[in-house]
């Protein structure tokens, strides 16, 4: 892991880094000891420093967490491949959005899961990051790439997911056994509510709550973020008490 810049403001330290070819950013509380970690996955067409990502990260840091985000494959500062371009063209051309979004996530997931696991290993070696279970927050595409990650990664102890349907994800969703807070926008035109409800139902964990709010895909209320921080504080502390994992 190679850090390329460091700035601090309003109690938050922001460090950009690269790990192999993966660009990312780590936010930590300024002048604090080791902090529990949250992995923050961005939505489709976004990147690690999209305004919503940064705002969420800073609110988590204010609650005492370290937060890391990376550019997903084919996003942000990453190169684009031909298959990804074809899938995006299909989405713009008006095909079945559920099937096309599932195809895009399937195309990205294998690489994204491996990259997130490597980043998690590297970041947990830092003095400012705690060695307990990590949280994962990802909505929309962040959910589509997060579910296979959570299914494969035992170091993740709780997750905030949502704004996505079950297309192509039911099998891996059934393998998610950690506590989940699931967000659904009742008037979402991109993800019809019945598809979102189907994904919630497919999650294998018995410790899951559904949070439905009025509005469209991008209208998640700001109060949800503060509630998410309390959710992570509660469940990650419980996971650590039930058997913390060493840094690895």
């Amino acid at each position: 892991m190679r850090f390329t810049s460091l700035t601090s403001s309003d109690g938050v330290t922001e460090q950009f880094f690269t790990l192999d070819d993966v660009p990312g950013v780590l936010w930590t509380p300024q002048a604090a000891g080791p902090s529990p970690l949250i992995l923050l996955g961005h939505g489709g067409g976004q990147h690690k420093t999209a305004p919503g990502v940064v705002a969420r990260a800073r609110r988590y840091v204010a609650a005492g967490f370290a937060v890391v985000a990376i550019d997903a494959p084919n996003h942000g500062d990453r190169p684009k491949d031909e298959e990804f371009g074809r899938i995006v063209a299909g989405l713009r051309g008006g095909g079945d959005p559920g099937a096309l979004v599932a195809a895009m996530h399937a195309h990205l997931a294998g690489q994204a899961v491996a990259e997130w696991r490597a980043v998690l290993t590297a970041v947990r070696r830092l003095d400012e990051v705690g060695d307990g279970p990590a949280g994962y927050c990802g909505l929309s595409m962040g959910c589509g790439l997060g579910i296979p990650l959570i299914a494969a990664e035992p170091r993740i102890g709780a997750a905030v997911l949502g704004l996505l349907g079950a297309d192509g994800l039911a099998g891996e969703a059934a393998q998610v056994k950690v506590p989940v807070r699931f967000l659904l926008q009742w008037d979402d035109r991109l993800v019809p509510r019945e598809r979102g409800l189907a994904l919630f139902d497919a999650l294998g964990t018995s410790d899951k709550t559904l949070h439905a709010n009025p509005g469209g895909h991008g209208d998640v209320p700001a109060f949800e973020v503060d509630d998410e921080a309390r959710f992570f504080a509660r469940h990650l502390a419980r996971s650590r008490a039930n058997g913390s994992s060493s840094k690895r």
Side-chain angles (χ1 to χ4, degrees):
M1 173 176 274
R2 181 173 65 88
F3 287 98
T4 57
S5 71
L6 183 153
T7 59
S8 296
S9 64
D10 301 322
V12 179
T13 297
E14 180 181 80
Q15 300 180 77
F16 285 82
F17 66 84
T18 58
L19 180 64
D20 298 325
D21 295 325
V22 180
V25 56
L26 173 68
W27 296 272
T28 53
Q30 192 173 351
S35 301
L37 179 66
I38 296 176
L39 314 180
L40 188 51
H42 62 74
Q46 298 184 352
H47 50 81
K48 63 186 179 298
T49 53
V53 174
V54 174
R56 203 179 214 98
R58 284 183 167 270
R59 292 179 80 164
Y60 283 162
V61 171
F65 293 96
V67 182
V68 63
I70 61 175
D71 285 336
N74 287 278
H75 286 73
D77 296 325
R78 311 289 297 275
K80 312 299 189 291
D81 62 48
E82 291 184 6
E83 178 61 19
F84 181 78
R86 284 192 290 270
I87 295 170
V88 170
L91 282 166
R92 293 171 178 166
D96 176 6
L100 288 166
V101 167
M104 179 177 71
H105 294 169
H107 177 63
L108 302 177
Q111 181 179 350
V113 167
E115 290 172 351
W116 265 125
R117 298 186 79 178
V119 167
L120 177 57
T121 295
V123 170
R124 279 164 51 94
R125 292 173 177 155
L126 302 174
D127 291 340
E128 58 265 47
V129 176
D131 62 359
Y136 178 88
C137 174
L139 304 178
S140 195
M141 188 187 80
C143 176
L145 303 184
I147 284 177
L149 170 64
I150 297 162
E153 180 48 74
R155 293 173 292 180
I156 294 177
V160 172
L161 302 168
L163 303 189
L164 192 65
D167 305 75
L169 283 173
E172 287 167 313
Q175 300 174 47
V176 172
K177 303 299 185 182
V178 301
V180 172
R181 180 184 179 98
F182 191 91
L183 302 185
L184 183 145
Q185 288 299 103
W186 205 246
D187 309 298
D188 194 335
R189 294 184 178 181
L190 296 177
V191 182
R193 69 182 69 151
E194 62 272 13
R195 291 189 175 184
L197 290 170
L199 180 55
F200 175 77
D201 189 55
L203 292 166
T205 178
S206 61
D207 190 349
K208 56 185 176 181
T209 56
L210 177 68
H211 293 252
N213 292 285
H217 195 71
D219 298 329
V220 176
F223 68 77
E224 289 284 3
V225 183
D226 295 326
D227 287 347
E228 291 163 15
R230 289 188 284 271
F231 164 85
F232 280 126
R234 182 169 68 253
H235 286 290
L236 295 182
R238 182 188 305 169
S239 295
R240 186 166 187 173
N242 289 340
S244 64
S245 54
S246 62
K247 290 199 174 189
R248 52 192 174 94

